[in-house]
Amino acid sequence: MRTDTEKSRYLSAVSGELADQQAWLKSYAHDDAQAYFVIEYQSVPIGTVRLYEPKGESFYWRSWILTKNRPNHAAIESSLMVYAYAVDHLGFQCAHFEVRKGNERVWQFHERFGAKRVSENELEFFYEINRSAIDHSRNHYKRFLPTSVTVEL
């Protein structure tokens, strides 16, 4: 997914070499400050997302990518899962992240979800979302994720 030029054009570049990917996964496996998830639908991988860079009660999330063949509700469900895991299992109260300015669909999605744009630079918008907005969205979209999440290691 990360080497698909169309899908990953707003993400940081990665090597398509298997050895490079394996080395990254090996180094990641020893980093307790981040969690990297494969998003599945009916046991088929449809995306990835990563939580990292905790700052007090806030976590950072990025590396969110979904395949073209995903269900229409995959973005909402995977966002709800990120927030449920971060809040219910890790105890975070808010999140911070950035979105490339050209990725209009994604920054509009986050703004509808309750994230507030707090700054920007030449390439990116920077966002924060507080616990109240997270809870509001989790309640508003609860038909997509009526309970919390279970994480299998």
Side-chain angles (χ1 to χ4, degrees):
M1 286 178 266
R2 294 291 305 269
T3 58
D4 178 325
T5 54
E6 176 64 23
K7 292 300 294 175
S8 65
R9 70 185 181 274
Y10 299 115
L11 299 177
S12 53
V14 297
S15 166
E17 296 298 318
L18 180 59
D20 293 340
Q21 294 294 314
Q22 290 171 328
W24 185 87
L25 287 169
K26 197 176 283 189
S27 70
Y28 151 78
H30 299 290
D31 186 348
D32 293 338
Q34 62 179 319
Y36 194 81
F37 296 96
V38 173
I39 302 163
E40 294 184 350
Y41 180 72
Q42 297 179 342
S43 300
V44 175
I46 61 165
T48 63
V49 67
R50 182 166 57 133
L51 284 67
Y52 60 111
E53 286 187 20
K55 293 181 182 175
E57 294 185 328
S58 183
F59 71 96
Y60 182 87
W61 68 292
R62 196 165 182 176
S63 305
W64 184 36
I65 187 170
L66 296 166
T67 64
K68 294 174 188 170
N69 299 327
R70 70 188 184 276
N72 290 336
H73 48 77
I76 292 172
E77 286 182 351
S78 58
S79 294
L80 291 168
M81 286 188 274
V82 164
Y83 289 121
Y85 177 69
V87 170
D88 299 346
H89 295 277
L90 300 178
F92 287 108
Q93 300 299 307
C94 50
H96 56 282
F97 51 90
E98 73 248 9
V99 180
R100 296 272 170 97
K101 287 181 174 181
N103 202 352
E104 188 172 341
R105 287 180 52 167
V106 171
W107 57 257
Q108 287 177 344
F109 173 88
H110 284 298
E111 289 177 5
R112 283 191 307 273
F113 223 79
K116 300 295 182 204
R117 190 181 303 170
V118 294
S119 66
E120 64 183 87
N121 65 21
E122 200 173 286
L123 287 175
E124 298 173 310
F125 293 127
F126 295 87
Y127 288 92
E128 293 178 356
I129 185 168
N130 63 30
R131 178 65 186 267
S132 176
I134 292 169
D135 290 345
H136 178 267
S137 288
R138 287 180 70 187
N139 186 54
H140 181 75
Y141 296 111
K142 68 182 171 191
R143 69 186 176 279
F144 294 101
L145 189 68
T147 60
S148 192
V149 295
T150 302
V151 177
E152 297 177 18
L153 302 175

